[in-house]
Amino acid sequence: MAWALALHGGAGPARGRTYDREEAHMAEVLKRGADMLEEGLSALDVVVSMVRELEDSGFHVAGKGASANGNGEYELDAAVMDGALRRAGAVGALVGFRSPIMAARAVMEETPHVLLVGAGAKAFARDMGLEEIEDPAAYYTPAVRRPVEPGELAHGTVGAVARDIAGRLAAATSTGGLLNKMPGRVGDTPLIGAGTWADERVAVSCTGQGEYFMRAAVAADISARVRYGGQTLASACAGALADMETQGGDGGLIAVDAMGNVSTPYVSEGMKRGIATHTGRFEVKTFR
């Protein structure tokens, strides 16, 4: 019965404002996820459900809260991975659909592929009957509305990782990417092993500037550190994040291992995050 769950709403928070609304909503989502795991639902179903709720909230730079790229379009990325079977699905630069994480799951379950991008991802999502956005300007309510300074790479992502009562692990991540990003830019979120990973050892969802997470293959590196280095989950997460940080990046991650241990480290000013476990642990925080 040793289930465990963690959520994140991105590593972009800055001191000087409160995140009470975001934390209250994350607590609601976390409670629903905990109830689902307690009832015996699969880790895969739970992480997808949790990320879909975070997408819909508009509180984070993902889903409804995403910001437009440099051309005024909303290109979103998402990925999901089922650790028990090592299946994965992802979409990149997806335009026009309410839930990128549902599109990613459809890629995993309905195609022989792992990643679909751009026009191909859009055509596939439409074929799957996923909910389209008729008026993007009316639908999207960017979570970050301040002007982005020249050269600034502001970011935000949502994610969930879980271990269910059968011992299965899963991870899901969704993002609007960098604010005012170049059209066609795809970050680490949909790249399996960089921003999202799940296997029989760990499930990981990352948040931060994706270019650095890609260069360090952060998510898969955590599993390798556990497998080959015999590291604990906390040590593996800290080491992988430190390797990313040496390149000049910032951000954080959430992870759970096969024994139900949870780790949520970050090397940014803050990270919206929540943890729930079968032992009664339940917490939602933004800063230390």
Side-chain angles (χ1 to χ4, degrees), residues 36 41-50 105 109 170:
M36 293 167 72
L41 272 71
S42 73
L44 176 63
D45 286 339
V46 171
V47 297
V48 170
S49 177
M50 299 300 91
R105 182 169 188 173
E109 295 179 336

Side-chain angles (χ1 to χ4, degrees), residues 65-87:
S67 295
N69 64 18
N71 280 354
E73 279 195 309
Y74 295 84
E75 294 183 320
L76 281 66
D77 307 332
V80 62
M81 192 163 184
D82 176 3
L85 299 175
R86 205 74 70 87
R87 300 182 302 161

Side-chain angles (χ1 to χ4, degrees), residues 249-275:
D250 69 350
L253 60 88
I254 56 174
V256 61
D257 68 13
M259 293 165 286
N261 297 309
V262 180
S263 184
T264 61
Y266 58 94
V267 291
S268 51
E269 195 166 355
M271 182 175 75
K272 293 172 285 185
R273 64 206 186 274
I275 299 171

Side-chain angles (χ1 to χ4, degrees), residues 13-22 59 143-144 272 286-287:
R15 293 193 181 275
R17 60 154 290 192
T18 62
Y19 293 86
D20 294 344
R21 291 187 312 158
E22 291 89 335
F59 290 145
V144 178
K272 293 172 285 185
T286 298
F287 302 108

Side-chain angles (χ1 to χ4, degrees), residues 49-281:
S49 177
M50 299 300 91
V51 167
R52 187 172 186 180
E53 287 198 60
L54 294 173
E55 289 176 335
D56 281 346
S57 72
F59 290 145
H60 317 284
V61 187
K64 188 174 183 178
S67 295
N69 64 18
N71 280 354
E73 279 195 309
Y74 295 84
E75 294 183 320
L76 281 66
D77 307 332
V80 62
M81 192 163 184
D82 176 3
L85 299 175
R86 205 74 70 87
R87 300 182 302 161
V91 290
L94 177 66
V95 175
F97 290 84
R98 178 172 175 174
S99 178
I101 197 63
M102 294 301 293
R105 182 169 188 173
V107 171
M108 179 179 73
E109 295 179 336
E110 304 296 337
T111 82
H113 308 304
V114 169
L115 173 62
L116 294 179
V117 303
K122 183 173 184 176
F124 170 73
R126 182 169 289 159
D127 287 344
M128 290 293 100
L130 298 182
E131 184 177 354
E132 297 190 52
I133 298 169
E134 295 183 3
D135 184 356
Y139 176 75
Y140 289 104
T141 56
V144 178
R145 296 178 178 273
R146 62 174 175 78
V148 178
E149 299 296 329
E152 181 186 3
L153 295 173
H155 53 71
T157 301
V158 301
V161 295
R163 180 200 192 272
D164 62 30
I165 60 176
R168 298 168 296 198
L169 301 172
T173 316
S174 182
T175 187
L178 299 177
L179 277 62
N180 201 35
K181 63 188 177 183
M182 291 179 63
R185 183 264 185 186
V186 173
D188 65 309
T189 290
L191 301 186
I192 301 303
T196 306
W197 182 262
D199 58 19
E200 65 274 26
R201 288 173 291 279
V202 299
V204 183
S205 174
C206 300
T207 170
Q209 188 181 332
E211 282 73 10
Y212 294 100
F213 284 80
M214 287 186 270
R215 292 168 188 159
V218 170
D221 185 35
I222 292 169
S223 180
R225 288 169 182 266
V226 171
R227 182 178 185 181
Y228 302 116
Q231 295 183 16
T232 64
L233 179 68
S235 294
C237 290
L241 207 55
D243 183 43
M244 181 278 300
E245 188 182 18
T246 61
Q247 304 171 55
D250 69 350
L253 60 88
I254 56 174
V256 61
D257 68 13
M259 293 165 286
N261 297 309
V262 180
S263 184
T264 61
Y266 58 94
V267 291
S268 51
E269 195 166 355
M271 182 175 75
K272 293 172 285 185
R273 64 206 186 274
I275 299 171
T277 71
H278 74 285
T279 62
R281 182 181 182 186

